[in-house]
Amino acid sequence: MILYEYPLNERTRTYLRLEHLLHRLGVLVPREHPLDHHHALQTLFEILEVGARADLKTEILKDLDRHRQQLEALRGHPTIAEAALERVLTQIEQCHAALRDDEGRLGHALGGVEWLATLRNRIGIPGGTCAFDLPAYHEWQHRPAAERQADLLQWAQSVACLGQPVQLLLQLLRESAVAQKVFAARGQFQQNLPQSRTFQLLRVWLDPGLRLVPEISGNRLLVSVRLLRRNIEGKLEPATDIDAEFEIHLCA
């Protein structure tokens, strides 16, 4: 099954973007080719852009506090596995402490390398990182792979404080899912959401054999999935002649 996730608020959108970028960075850094490390640096700059909001750390800390309070209220409940509960509470406390104690500005480790600032400004320009534009970067790309990896790991440490807290918050959100089997008549599904709960994430599981692409939209009151497929020219068009069953998870 192919999983599609759609955030229902801006904070979840930011968390998903950070998770996506941090995962990509983790894949690229262990590789050895200079081109992989070029994309690792580009990813690092994207993380800095997404995480540039001054209040992001505060929002993450508040979310961790909220989860901790909700879970602590479950202590002693007869249907709760105490060992699992304590394990999650320990994870929350560790993430909270690490983020709270990290006083450095996001990306502070990159500030001491002059050519990185120039690279960050030019990396979005087509062909803007050629050797004649950035000879210092060109020289770095010709250093041994182990040396480049060590530099990347050092620079990545300045954004690592976001990784575990964001991953834990998304894990807790996903585990709150209410699973449903739904039916898209003529390629269209729509569902009103109860106002008694605030849903933050919609997850759509679609059979790849259908060769359909979901166009998802939603807010706190309504979610909608329109199924699209490619025509012979490769363009996406509504699959209005198809009735399809798929699974959705609503996470609150």
Side-chain angles (χ1 to χ4, degrees), residues 55 58 121:
D55 61 343
T58 302
N121 290 331

Side-chain angles (χ1 to χ4, degrees), residues 17-236:
R17 284 176 172 158
L18 284 171
E19 179 191 51
H20 170 76
L21 292 169
L22 288 163
H23 172 73
R24 187 204 296 171
L25 184 64
V27 170
L28 290 170
V29 170
R31 296 179 182 178
E32 297 187 352
H33 197 281
L35 185 58
D36 289 313
H37 290 170
H38 171 83
H39 290 298
L41 282 169
Q42 187 173 31
T43 302
L44 187 57
F45 296 148
E46 289 182 47
I47 293 171
L48 293 176
E49 290 293 328
V50 175
R53 281 178 32 217
D55 61 343
L56 179 60
K57 282 187 179 181
T58 302
E59 284 191 357
I60 294 174
L61 289 171
K62 286 181 179 178
D63 275 348
L64 290 170
D65 278 333
R66 179 171 51 82
H67 279 290
R68 179 169 54 191
Q69 291 170 7
Q70 291 173 341
L71 292 173
E72 283 179 343
L74 298 176
R75 280 193 169 119
H77 196 283
T79 63
I80 297 298
E82 289 291 337
L85 178 62
E86 292 302 324
R87 184 169 60 250
V88 175
L89 284 169
T90 299
Q91 287 180 297
I92 291 174
E93 183 56 41
Q94 290 172 345
C95 288
H96 192 283
L99 191 58
R100 183 189 61 230
D101 296 341
D102 186 90
E103 298 178 352
R105 179 176 55 86
L106 200 66
H108 59 84
L110 284 70
V113 185
E114 185 177 346
W115 60 262
L116 278 177
T118 308
L119 175 64
R120 185 176 179 181
N121 290 331
R122 297 195 60 84
I123 204 164
I125 301 172
T129 60
C130 289
F132 58 82
D133 286 312
L134 295 171
Y137 178 47
H138 187 62
E139 184 275 332
W140 181 81
Q141 289 181 301
H142 282 78
R143 293 183 182 182
E147 188 175 336
R148 284 185 271 113
Q149 288 170 338
D151 286 341
L152 286 168
L153 287 171
Q154 178 187 348
W155 298 332
Q157 280 301 308
S158 60
V159 300
C161 62
L162 298 177
Q164 285 190 331
V166 167
Q167 186 60 55
L168 179 59
L169 288 171
L170 287 174
Q171 175 190 335
L172 293 171
L173 180 59
R174 288 166 177 144
E175 289 177 353
S176 74
V178 178
Q180 303 177 50
K181 289 284 188 180
V182 299
F183 188 76
R186 300 184 62 82
Q188 183 77 35
F189 167 77
Q190 187 170 292
Q191 179 175 320
N192 293 318
L193 299 180
Q195 296 188 35
S196 57
R197 298 188 70 187
T198 302
F199 292 97
Q200 301 181 55
L201 179 67
L202 173 66
R203 311 182 85 202
V204 176
W205 300 84
L206 203 60
D207 184 351
L210 297 174
R211 302 181 71 84
L212 296 171
V213 178
E215 182 183 69
I216 306 170
S217 60
N219 53 47
R220 63 186 182 85
L221 300 175
L222 178 75
V223 292
S224 174
V225 180
R226 185 172 68 145
L227 300 178
L228 309 174
R229 65 180 171 193
R230 290 182 176 86
N231 60 23
I232 57 173
E233 297 176 348
K235 296 180 180 178
L236 290 174

